[in-house]
Amino acid sequence: MFAAERRQLILEMVRANGAVSLRELARVVQTSEVTVRRDVRALEAEGLLDRRHGGAVLPGGFTRESGFPQKSHLATAEKTAIADLAAGFVEEGEAIVVGAGTTTQELARRLARVPGLTVVTNSLLVAQALAHANRVEVVMTGGTLRGSNYALVGSGAEQSLQGLRVSKAFLSGSGLTAERGLSTSNMLSASVDRALVQAAAEVVVLADHSKLGTDTMFQTVPTDVITRLVTDEPPGHDDRAATELQALADQGVQIAVTGASGGATTTGSGGPGASGTSGGDAVPARQQRRDVPLPGPRRQVPGAAAGLRATALGEQNAGAERARVADLRRR
């Protein structure tokens, strides 16, 4: 495929979907991400699209929301891995809320195996995924059906959530930044998602790496309200996504990252309970956890610092004791 043909196809994909990851563009045009990145840079120079962390969006600074058919074919492997990991943070007998989205739909399919679970949702797709789970109770909100993402929105949905209290909220969105938090492109969806958040003690965001650094019109969840982010491992060349992850961790968000091998990298803010998991056995046994720091400036682990101080103090005391014994011998 010639460069002109390739760039035309890239432009058509972005116009159809609003936002497309470099990985998906490379797959469709059957070339490397390096070549696609060069094409995207050329199209941006012509003012035909805007580059974002790990992808391309419509020009103008904010992406528009894609419909469900387009979203369902984007980053499918990443969404599956994210859903596998996120399901490990749900315990038997919990009551949770699950928002609308293709990633949360994948999560719902895995929650069908959790006994005694109660799921409150405004998503027809989430409810459908749990419809035949006889050990899971599903509670639907009221509201008006928004056909583009099969979700119930509006005042009816928001009012049905008043007075509700659950342990966790699992949400997705169109973009996530450390500065502004989770955002979406539709005002009605954002309003219902905020009501879901107000009902939960903890907020878990599910977002693949292409959404990191992307900012859209309506803020859903401020960064300081997000308890945990579950995402996939950014490509090695995507320094900006890695930087965004570090910035989120610095603001206290616990980060759980799926690895290419199916494992999970977890890290947190360093505060109490910020180990990156909720209870040591929350991640399924089939996933091997490895606790490593995110890319960026190294931060001293409090426990390690205490150990170093104790070692230094012990050496100092031992030195003083040796000096005292030598003094006694001289006498």
Side-chain angles (χ1 to χ4, degrees), residues 318-331:
E321 181 63 19
R322 286 194 296 268
R324 189 178 69 82
V325 170
D327 184 58
L328 288 174
R329 286 176 177 173
R330 284 195 297 270
R331 291 179 186 178

Side-chain angles (χ1 to χ4, degrees), residues 64-285:
R64 70 173 176 83
E65 186 178 35
S66 305
F68 173 78
Q70 292 83 19
K71 289 181 178 179
S72 62
H73 297 294
L74 297 176
T76 53
E78 291 85 347
K79 291 173 183 177
T80 298
I82 289 169
D84 283 338
L85 180 54
F89 296 114
V90 181
E91 300 177 359
E92 294 184 11
E94 272 195 297
I96 63 174
V97 295
V98 179
T102 53
T103 311
T104 51
Q105 180 189 22
E106 287 295 326
L107 171 64
R109 291 178 177 138
R110 287 144 183 83
L111 297 181
R113 301 188 292 268
V114 182
L117 190 64
T118 300
V119 177
V120 181
T121 185
N122 69 318
S123 169
L124 298 185
L125 298 174
V126 169
Q128 182 184 41
L130 294 168
H132 299 292
N134 54 18
R135 296 180 296 176
V136 178
E137 181 178 0
V138 180
V139 179
M140 294 286 301
T141 68
T144 303
L145 177 62
R146 185 166 180 262
S148 61
N149 64 346
Y150 301 93
L152 297 171
V153 297
S155 59
E158 295 170 38
Q159 290 173 8
S160 66
L161 293 166
Q162 291 180 1
L164 179 71
R165 193 62 175 169
V166 298
S167 59
K168 298 181 183 76
F170 291 85
L171 298 176
S172 187
S174 302
L176 178 65
T177 65
E179 179 181 1
R180 196 158 171 257
L182 188 68
S183 61
T184 188
S185 303
N186 182 266
M187 180 173 63
L188 294 175
S189 296
S191 187
V192 174
D193 282 353
R194 284 193 289 267
L196 292 171
V197 167
Q198 290 174 0
E202 298 181 18
V203 177
V204 182
V205 171
L206 313 182
D208 66 80
H209 75 272
S210 67
K211 296 178 181 179
L212 296 176
T214 299
D215 198 5
T216 51
M217 290 185 68
F218 301 99
Q219 184 190 56
T220 302
V221 191
T223 305
D224 60 358
V225 177
I226 299 173
T227 308
R228 177 180 287 109
L229 166 64
V230 184
T231 186
D232 62 300
E233 188 171 2
H237 57 74
D238 196 349
D239 294 335
R240 290 180 294 182
T243 301
E244 200 73 46
L245 281 178
Q246 183 63 59
L248 288 162
D250 289 341
Q251 294 197 39
V253 178
Q254 299 173 33
I255 312 293
V257 182
T258 67
S261 62
T265 299
T266 58
T267 188
S269 62
S275 62
T277 61
S278 174
D281 298 324
V283 178

